[in-house]
Amino acid sequence: MNGRLIVVGDIHGCHQEFSDLIGRLTLEKADRLVLLGDLVNRGPNSAKVIDLALENRAISLLGNHERRLLKYRRTVDKSVLKDGDLDTVALLQDEHWAYLETMALWLEEPELNTVLVHGGFLPSEPWQKQTADIVTRIQVVDADGRPAKRADAPDAPAWADLWVGPPFVVYGHTPRSEVYKRKWSLGIDTACVQGGYLTAYELTEKRFFQVKARQRYWL
């Protein structure tokens, strides 16, 4: 019997909320748990988040935060890091780094006509050919048709508003107060680390699970 496919939005070190959510999910052996990247940084304990991911056999996709840490790990160039990243680096052990190295850019589920990814895709290009820089970081599409952050192009449309599929895309990265549902996409980063919710989505039954953040950890 096929298990469920359950996707979780950005955890950002919120290990207690992740543990609470796992309790709500009542995972069974046949279930697949997929984490949409940005497991680390900002929240209380990134290492404990990865421990929980390993314990629950979770597949994780590459987020911009993991990508940054891995780049530092390879180059020891502190200029690639942002505030607080070194706190995470100090926590991570070899098994944590090994887990980060397993993260793929996206996961395709052809039977569901769905692709899972951290950030999203540029609507004007074939999604399979897009670079890590695009798929881990895109939030909006600027006036020149390029991927950008909301902060850099506040009036630009969300990439998801321009995405007409197929495939259907489930993504994180862009925190919002509620899930962001469009005809061909679903954004499930509901800002747990900022005091919002940690959200999981079960694709077959189209069911949501949410846990409220115990506090606001990051502004």
Side-chain angles (χ1 to χ4, degrees):
M1 182 177 176
N2 292 332
R4 299 172 297 169
L5 176 58
I6 301 169
V7 186
V8 179
D10 300 34
I11 303 169
H12 276 303
C14 298
H15 63 98
Q16 291 179 309
E17 289 81 357
F18 186 31
S19 180
D20 292 342
L21 184 62
I22 288 169
R24 290 276 310 279
L25 294 173
T26 58
L27 294 169
E28 298 182 1
K29 191 171 183 179
D31 294 338
R32 286 184 297 154
L33 184 64
V34 180
L35 314 179
L36 292 180
D38 283 6
L39 282 63
V40 300
N41 293 342
R42 295 181 175 168
N45 196 313
S46 298
K48 288 186 178 180
V49 169
I50 299 173
D51 288 338
L52 284 165
L54 288 164
E55 288 169 21
N56 290 277
R57 300 174 291 108
I59 299 164
S60 289
L61 303 181
L62 186 70
N64 54 303
H65 282 257
E66 288 88 12
R67 189 165 173 247
R68 203 162 66 227
L69 295 185
L70 287 167
K71 189 171 184 180
Y72 171 73
R73 172 88 162 172
R74 289 191 282 266
T75 64
V76 201
D77 177 5
K78 290 184 179 180
S79 70
V80 306
L81 298 178
K82 293 189 177 180
D83 289 348
D85 287 2
L86 281 175
D87 295 336
T88 301
V89 170
L91 286 173
L92 300 186
Q93 304 298 314
D94 288 346
E95 64 268 24
H96 302 131
W97 289 109
Y99 187 73
L100 299 192
E101 292 281 2
T102 70
M103 294 181 173
L105 279 183
W106 41 262
L107 178 66
E108 184 178 13
E109 291 292 321
E111 291 182 2
L112 299 172
N113 194 24
T114 296
V115 173
L116 314 177
V117 70
H118 175 62
F121 297 110
L122 195 61
S124 60
E125 298 177 8
W127 66 266
Q128 303 97 324
K129 297 182 179 180
Q130 296 187 34
T131 65
D133 201 45
I134 295 174
V135 305
T136 65
R137 298 178 66 197
I138 189 171
Q139 291 183 320
V140 300
V141 180
D142 71 15
D144 296 318
R146 295 177 302 202
K149 293 168 60 177
R150 282 187 299 188
D152 296 335
D155 298 323
W159 72 269
D161 291 348
L162 305 176
W163 181 259
V164 294
F168 189 82
V169 179
V170 183
Y171 66 99
H173 182 57
T174 301
R176 297 180 172 97
S177 59
E178 299 177 346
V179 296
Y180 195 67
K181 180 73 169 70
R182 291 293 180 264
K183 182 178 180 181
W184 285 101
S185 64
L186 180 68
I188 62 169
D189 180 357
T190 42
C192 182
V193 77
Q194 294 165 277
Y197 290 83
L198 184 60
T199 296
Y201 179 62
E202 196 279 298
L203 275 80
T204 309
E205 297 181 1
K206 299 182 179 179
R207 181 183 176 192
F208 291 97
F209 301 81
Q210 287 190 318
V211 167
K212 174 68 175 165
R214 298 188 180 200
Q215 66 182 77
R216 186 182 182 117
Y217 302 103
W218 185 80
L219 299 178

